[in-house]
């Protein structure tokens, strides 16, 4: 009786000791910041002369009346709704193209992947030149055909879409790699069975290839959505959220509040909103979409 | 239904400099089950893929049902095919897998449902229609693949080692099932296998291939009784034919040293008085028979005896056989030659 008890006792201790490092790290860097952030959002901003005080949901009430917040949120949704489907669609097309035996395949693969290996800061600088009025690449091309000069990034109507195009260009190559890996896992025998059974390329893609790529699509979609809320490096280089907050995104607005205006408690409030949005999207993707996916 | 004879004429296939098939000529008659047999790498699967249209011949022509299909895509050849790993779509259930081709070809729904019902009943799959392939056993998956081939209602069916992923018992059952389906539905079937037992039991005709060429084309009896080459003799039969050279103590049984002598293990008898003495090096008891391997100088010879043997490893046995059971092959080309003692050769 006694040895059994001791063994079980030691197994428990052993187990806890084994997970302890991971639990410690996750608590310190994930759980604690979330709770602390939530807590912080319920207080007013403290200064040297005025200590912070508990104000309940006051920050949230302010947030609902904050026009810039709503504008930034709208920007972010437009930005996500454009970048996610387009970058994934283009990634899939590129992967299908270079999965075939085409001439110069390595070169094409490399050029599709190049934007991915460039740092965002470098990409932003390159595209800043593309978009420069008068002597930027696009204006030179338009000028050659007799077009007018455009202030691409200076116009509130076009600035956000300029960023969207750049981000799609940057991200597609990265997602393409996942699709390419998934495509190469598909058995060539399936393709041959499809040919014998008389399926055309579109029918085969719709009934076989695309459904079998769904696990990859889910993974890539989650990443793309998270990225669309997470990546703001290019804003710092290209527009700084302007003109008139036309290109500001949620995370960039949080950054501005926290480190430009030093309103950390309002930044904490915005962060809670961001976390809730991301959690809602992820739960939807895993709970609803995943059920319809076939995993091999 | 029109005839579905398959005719290959002077078919040649190479990839770059690598020659895969050369000089392939054969006819597979209407409603015939033709087995392409051979060791791995002999070109049997390539031949099947050429007939299916998954590869195109470098030269030569392929005719199915009186139509030259050499350059047509698989879909236009009016064939169905069963793949080695079944090639089932893992995300589709049994019914959708079987109906895949009919939907692609836009067969009307009513007709589809009728054919599906018939096929499922024929193969005993009715209760599994909603399952995914991963939830089924190997034998059931094999049946889905067969179902997909049958539901198309084309008269030519190609099979690429369809039983190689099944265990021995199931393999035998499915073999009989395929044979009876083929006869009932009067399908013209080309069947690839590397298993000579499978080939012998199922085939109307067998084509034995080696190194991209046809070694022999004939009925199972032809291949067993009159092997055209030493290779055929050593490939067909279990255990295979002994192929002996005239070196050592055997020399006096040969006309001269330019021959291989072939003798089947079951045609060798143990004698007390005459024959050549060999030493037993191994004994394998199989139940109904026992295999005895004897050594003669450098050569090994296998014989089978009924039931159990009293001989022990290390014993000396006198082995004997009848002249008419000898097969002689040219030592350089391996080709069968007329037996000087008369008898077996054509």
């Amino acid at each position: 009786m006694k040895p059994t008890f001791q063994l079980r006792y030691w197994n428990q201790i052993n187990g806890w000791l084994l997970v302890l490092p991971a639990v410690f790290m996750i608590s310190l860097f994930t759980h604690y910041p979330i709770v602390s952030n939530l807590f912080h959002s319920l207080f007013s901003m403290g200064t040297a002369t005025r200590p912070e005080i508990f104000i309940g949901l006051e920050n949230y009430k302010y947030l609902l009346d904050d026009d810039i917040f709503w504008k930034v949120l709208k920007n972010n949704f437009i930005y996500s709704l454009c970048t996610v489907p387009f970058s994934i669609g283009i990634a899939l097309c590129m992967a299908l193209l270079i999965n075939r035996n085409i001439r110069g395949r390595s070169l094409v693969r490399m050029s599709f992947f190049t934007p991915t290996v460039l740092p965002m800061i470098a990409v932003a600088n390159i595209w800043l030149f593309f978009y420069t009025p008068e002597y930027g690449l696009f204006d030179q091309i338009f000028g050659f055909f007799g077009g007018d000069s455009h202030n691409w990034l200076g116009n509130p109507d076009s600035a956000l879409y300029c960023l969207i195009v750049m981000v799609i260009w940057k991200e597609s190559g990265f997602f393409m790699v996942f699709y390419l890996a998934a495509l190469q896992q598909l058995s060539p025998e399936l393709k041959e069975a499809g040919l014998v059974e008389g399926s055309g390329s579109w029918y085969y893609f719709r009934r076989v290839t695309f459904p079998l790529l769904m696990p990859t699509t889910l993974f890539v979609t989650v990443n793309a959505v998270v990225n669309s809320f997470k990546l703001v490096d290019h804003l710092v280089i290209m527009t700084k959220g302007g003109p008139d907050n036309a290109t500001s995104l949620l995370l960039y607005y949080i950054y501005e509040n926290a480190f430009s205006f030093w309103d950390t408690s309002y930044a904490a409030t915005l962060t809670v909103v961001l976390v809730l949005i991301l959690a809602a999207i992820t739960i939807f993707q895993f709970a609803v979409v995943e059920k319809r996916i076939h995993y091999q | 239904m029109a005839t579905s004879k398959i005719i290959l004429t002077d078919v040649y296939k190479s990839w770059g400099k690598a020659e895969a098939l050369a000089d392939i000529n054969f006819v597979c008659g209407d409603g015939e089950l033709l087995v392409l047999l051979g060791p791995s790498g002999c070109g049997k699967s390539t031949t099947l893929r050429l007939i299916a249209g998954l590869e195109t011949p470098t030269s030569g022509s392929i005719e199915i049902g009186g139509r030259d299909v050499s350059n047509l895509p698989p879909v236009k050849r009016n064939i169905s095919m069963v793949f080695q790993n079944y090639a089932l779509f893992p995300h589709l259930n049994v019914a959708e897998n079987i109906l895949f081709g009919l939907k692609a070809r836009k067969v009307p729904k009513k007709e589809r449902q009728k054919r599906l019902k018939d096929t499922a009943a024929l193969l005993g799959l009715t209760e599994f229609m909603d399952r995914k392939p991963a939830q089924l056993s190997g034998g059931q998956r094999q049946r889905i693949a067969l179902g997909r081939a049958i539901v198309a209602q084309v008269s030519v069916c190609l099979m690429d080692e369809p039983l190689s992923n099944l265990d021995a018992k199931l393999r035998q059952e499915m073999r009989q099932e395929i044979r009876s389906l083929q006869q009932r539905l009067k399908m013209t079937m080309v069947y690839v296998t590397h298993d000579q037992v499978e080939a012998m039991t199922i085939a109307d005709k067998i084509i034995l291939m080696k190194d991209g060429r046809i070694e022999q084309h004939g009925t199972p009896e032809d291949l067993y009784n009159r092997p055209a080459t030493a290779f055929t003799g050593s490939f067909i039969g279990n255990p295979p034919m002994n192929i002996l050279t005239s070196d050592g103590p055997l020399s006096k049984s040969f006309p001269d040293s330019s021959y291989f002598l072939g003798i089947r293990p079951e045609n060798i008898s143990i004698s007390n008085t005459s024959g050549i003495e060999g030493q037993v090096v191994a004994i394998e008891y199989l139940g109904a028979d026992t295999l005895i391997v004897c050594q003669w100088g450098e050569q090994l010879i296998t014989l089978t005896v009924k039931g159990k043997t009293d001989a022990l490893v290390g014993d000396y046995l006198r082995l004997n056989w009848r002249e008419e059971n000898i097969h002689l092959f040219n030592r350089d080309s391996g080709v069968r030659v007329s037996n000087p003692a008369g008898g077996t050769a054509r």
Side-chain angles (χ1 to χ4, degrees), chain A residues 6 15 21 28 36 54 56-57 75 83 119 165 170 189 208 216 225 229 261 264 279-280 289-290 292:
Chain A
Q6 275 192 337
L28 183 66
S36 143
F54 181 79
L57 296 177
N75 283 347
T83 55
V165 169
K170 165 105 175 92
E189 224 181 35
V208 183
T216 310
V225 169
F229 283 91
F261 316 147
T264 49
V289 184
E290 179 146 273
R292 294 153 193 250

Side-chain angles (χ1 to χ4, degrees), chain A residues 15-33:
Chain A
W16 278 109
L17 284 174
L18 285 171
V19 295
L20 191 63
V23 168
F24 176 74
M25 297 296 267
I26 292 176
S27 309
L28 183 66
F29 292 111
T30 306
H31 299 149
Y32 169 72

Side-chain angles (χ1 to χ4, degrees), chain B residues 267-283:
Chain B
N267 291 332
I268 302 174
S269 56
I270 301 170
S271 156
N272 293 322
T273 50
S274 59
I276 304 160
E277 202 166 65
Q279 190 181 19
V280 178
V281 292
I283 294 176

Side-chain angles (χ1 to χ4, degrees), chain A:
Chain A
M1 202 59 199
K2 208 179 170 199
T4 327
F5 170 76
Q6 275 192 337
L7 189 65
R8 199 184 296 159
Y9 179 72
W10 276 112
N11 264 342
Q12 291 269 332
I13 301 268
N14 211 3
W16 278 109
L17 284 174
L18 285 171
V19 295
L20 191 63
V23 168
F24 176 74
M25 297 296 267
I26 292 176
S27 309
L28 183 66
F29 292 111
T30 306
H31 299 149
Y32 169 72
I34 291 176
V35 174
S36 143
N37 182 73
L38 191 63
F39 188 71
H40 196 58
S41 73
L42 303 175
F43 284 81
S44 71
M45 188 182 63
T47 58
T49 48
R50 277 184 308 162
E52 56 176 26
I53 51 165
F54 181 79
I55 52 167
L57 296 177
E58 206 56 42
N59 278 326
Y60 292 89
K61 223 179 275 168
Y62 175 74
L63 177 129
L64 292 178
D65 293 332
D66 180 5
D67 288 340
I68 298 176
F69 165 73
W70 289 112
K71 180 161 196 180
V72 165
L73 197 63
K74 188 178 145 214
N75 283 347
N76 217 141
F77 276 107
I78 293 173
Y79 180 80
S80 299
L81 285 175
C82 292
T83 55
V84 175
F86 278 106
S87 56
I88 291 175
I90 292 171
L92 180 57
C93 292
M94 294 196 298
L96 288 169
L97 179 72
I98 61 174
N99 192 39
R100 287 194 236 163
N101 258 327
I102 52 167
R103 264 209 284 177
R105 189 168 64 167
S106 323
L107 190 73
V108 178
R109 276 187 190 182
M110 199 182 70
S111 50
F112 283 169
F113 193 61
T114 305
T116 305
V117 293
L118 295 176
M120 191 52 141
I121 301 295
V123 169
N125 276 304
I126 294 167
W127 281 74
L128 193 58
F129 160 71
F130 288 175
Y131 285 134
T132 308
E134 308 284 351
Y135 55 89
L137 180 73
F138 290 139
D139 265 6
Q140 283 190 31
I141 293 171
F142 278 105
F144 183 79
F145 292 106
D148 291 335
S149 155
H150 295 75
N151 190 355
W152 299 96
L153 292 173
N155 182 346
D157 294 330
S158 65
L160 184 61
Y161 296 97
C162 288
L163 295 185
I164 287 169
V165 169
M166 184 202 78
V167 169
I168 292 171
W169 178 83
K170 165 105 175 92
E171 297 238 286
S172 300
F174 182 56
F175 299 145
M176 174 199 75
V177 176
F178 294 102
Y179 273 123
L180 189 58
L183 281 172
Q184 304 208 325
Q185 294 293 312
L186 297 184
S187 149
E189 224 181 35
L190 286 185
K191 179 77 198 167
E192 288 174 349
L195 285 175
V196 171
E197 292 294 317
S199 59
S201 351
W202 170 241
Y203 182 81
Y204 184 80
F205 175 78
R206 186 168 62 81
R207 299 265 346 248
V208 183
T209 312
F210 189 67
L212 290 179
L213 288 177
M214 274 312 277
T216 310
T217 305
L218 176 67
F219 172 79
V220 165
T221 310
V222 170
N223 270 284
V225 169
V226 171
N227 275 357
S228 71
F229 283 91
K230 191 180 80 179
L231 273 181
V232 291
D233 317 15
H234 51 296
L235 293 185
V236 179
I237 303 290
M238 294 174 81
T239 62
K240 302 212 164 35
D244 187 20
N245 292 309
T247 59
S248 188
L249 300 174
L250 196 48
L251 189 61
Y252 188 75
Y253 189 48
I254 293 172
Y255 164 81
E256 274 191 321
N257 272 292
F259 303 108
S260 301
F261 316 147
W262 294 105
D263 188 349
T264 49
S265 61
Y266 188 54
T269 312
L270 288 166
T271 307
V272 170
V273 173
L274 177 63
V275 169
L276 287 178
I277 291 172
L278 286 180
I281 292 170
T282 313
I283 288 169
F284 172 78
Q285 282 172 332
F286 279 105
V288 180
V289 184
E290 179 146 273
K291 285 205 184 106
R292 294 153 193 250
I293 292 182
H294 172 84
Y295 285 92
Q296 282 188 316

Side-chain angles (χ1 to χ4, degrees), chain A residues 187-200 203-204 206-209 211-212 294 296, chain B residues 49 54 74-75 79-81 83-92 96 100-101 103-105 148:
Chain A
S187 149
E189 224 181 35
L190 286 185
K191 179 77 198 167
E192 288 174 349
L195 285 175
V196 171
E197 292 294 317
S199 59
Y203 182 81
Y204 184 80
R206 186 168 62 81
R207 299 265 346 248
V208 183
T209 312
L212 290 179
H294 172 84
Q296 282 188 316
Chain B
R49 293 168 61 82
L54 296 170
V75 55
I79 48 146
S80 59
M81 185 162 175
F83 292 82
Q84 183 169 4
N85 299 312
Y86 317 139
L88 301 175
F89 303 113
H91 60 296
L92 299 178
E96 287 298 322
F100 185 87
K103 285 191 175 173
R105 297 194 191 100
R148 202 164 59 183

Side-chain angles (χ1 to χ4, degrees), chain B residues 86-114:
Chain B
Y86 317 139
L88 301 175
F89 303 113
H91 60 296
L92 299 178
N93 65 22
V94 173
E96 287 298 322
N97 260 292
I98 293 177
L99 289 175
F100 185 87
L102 297 188
K103 285 191 175 173
R105 297 194 191 100
K106 301 207 166 64
V107 173
K109 186 166 183 196
K110 222 171 143 191
E111 169 75 11
R112 275 197 324 242
Q113 290 306 326
K114 187 185 163 299

Side-chain angles (χ1 to χ4, degrees), chain B residues 279-283 292-293 308-317:
Chain B
Q279 190 181 19
V280 178
V281 292
I283 294 176
I292 303 176
V293 183
K308 205 164 161 48
T309 178
D310 297 329
L312 298 169
V313 172
D315 286 357
Y316 284 87
L317 298 176

Side-chain angles (χ1 to χ4, degrees), chain B residues 30-46:
Chain B
D30 203 10
E32 180 177 304
L33 199 164
L34 174 74
V35 170
L36 299 175
L37 175 68
S40 54
C42 72
K44 56 192 189 299
S45 286
T46 306

